[in-house]
Amino acid sequence: MQFRREKKVGPTFSLQESLDTGKDDSALTLSDLLQDTACMEETCEKKDDASRLRGLIEALPARERQLVLLRYGLGGQPPLTQSETAQLLGISRSYVSRLETHALEEIRAQWER
């Protein structure tokens, strides 16, 4: 009876079971090869947050979207200062500041929903 039960369950492995030994006689275990689940969860959460943020930025009006991408370097280029952004967009630095503030407030409000 015990044999049948064990056959259904299958073999039992320990995470500390030695799989191989290295050149310096250090044992490689199964736990060394498996990624920490907390780390995996954190990575997944970061990816979800990044995806959600991209969606919120895409939902902004065109000018505000472009401004956020330029200011924070989200389009693959380095982040620009307000003055550099203003010069690129042909508007004043103070208007860049107002647009940026409005865009970030909008993103923040949508994020909290």
Side-chain angles (χ1 to χ4, degrees), residues 23-66:
K23 292 178 183 173
D24 58 354
D25 290 332
S26 60
L28 180 65
T29 64
L30 191 56
S31 66
D32 294 332
L33 298 176
L34 295 176
Q35 194 174 34
D36 185 13
T37 57
C39 184
M40 287 174 37
E41 289 172 7
E42 187 176 311
T43 301
C44 289
E45 286 177 13
K46 285 181 182 179
K47 286 181 181 179
D48 287 344
D49 287 348
S51 176
R52 183 173 174 213
L53 182 58
R54 270 189 235 102
L56 293 175
I57 291 171
E58 288 299 316
L60 290 172
R63 181 174 258 183
E64 290 180 10
R65 181 179 341 112
Q66 184 181 17

Side-chain angles (χ1 to χ4, degrees), residues 2 5-6 9-10 15 20 22 31-32 42 44 54-56 68 72 81-82 87 89 94 100 108 110:
Q2 178 71 21
R5 190 176 321 130
E6 286 179 8
V9 174
L15 291 177
D20 196 11
S31 66
D32 294 332
E42 187 176 311
C44 289
R54 270 189 235 102
L56 293 175
V68 168
Y72 295 96
T81 64
Q82 286 184 347
Q87 191 174 26
L89 298 178
S94 62
E100 181 180 359
R108 190 175 297 118
Q110 293 297 321

